[in-house]
Amino acid sequence: LLYIVAAPLSIYMYEEYKKDNNFIEKIKELNDSINKKTINECLSIIGLSNYNEESLNKISKSFKNYINELEEAKKPTRVK
């Protein structure tokens, strides 16, 4: 169950980090808070809110971006 939750969150955090390298500070804060705060408090650190529709849309968009990135990397390059 933990992996099912962690996989989409890790891709979301990776995509957010690519947009803004300072997001690493939020990831560090999340890591420090995992065993000290509620799940809702932890999610709010990284800009999510208890898996509501807006948060699910953010996660979904991150997944789509990540999949597109993988598909682009898989395409063969042409040699001139």
Side-chain angles (χ1 to χ4, degrees):
L1 183 61
L2 292 176
Y3 293 117
I4 292 170
V5 173
L9 290 180
S10 64
I11 291 172
Y12 167 75
M13 289 185 287
Y14 170 68
E15 290 293 321
E16 291 299 306
Y17 173 75
K18 285 187 341 187
K19 291 181 205 171
D20 177 11
N21 291 352
N22 292 323
F23 193 79
I24 193 70
E25 297 305 320
K26 291 184 179 189
I27 294 171
K28 289 177 183 177
E29 182 181 350
L30 173 65
N31 189 51
D32 291 340
S33 300
I34 291 287
N35 293 319
K36 301 173 188 168
K37 295 185 177 183
T38 67
I39 186 71
N40 289 336
E41 291 170 321
C42 290
L43 289 173
S44 70
I45 291 169
I46 58 172
L48 299 175
S49 179
N50 197 24
Y51 286 107
N52 64 14
E53 188 172 340
E54 180 184 352
S55 295
L56 291 174
N57 287 337
K58 288 180 181 180
I59 293 169
S60 177
K61 183 178 177 184
S62 295
F63 240 86
K64 289 175 187 173
N65 289 341
Y66 186 70
I67 289 168
N68 288 338
E69 182 181 322
L70 292 175
E71 288 174 345
E72 286 297 317
K74 195 170 79 170
K75 288 182 181 176
T77 56
R78 291 186 177 199
V79 179
K80 294 183 180 183

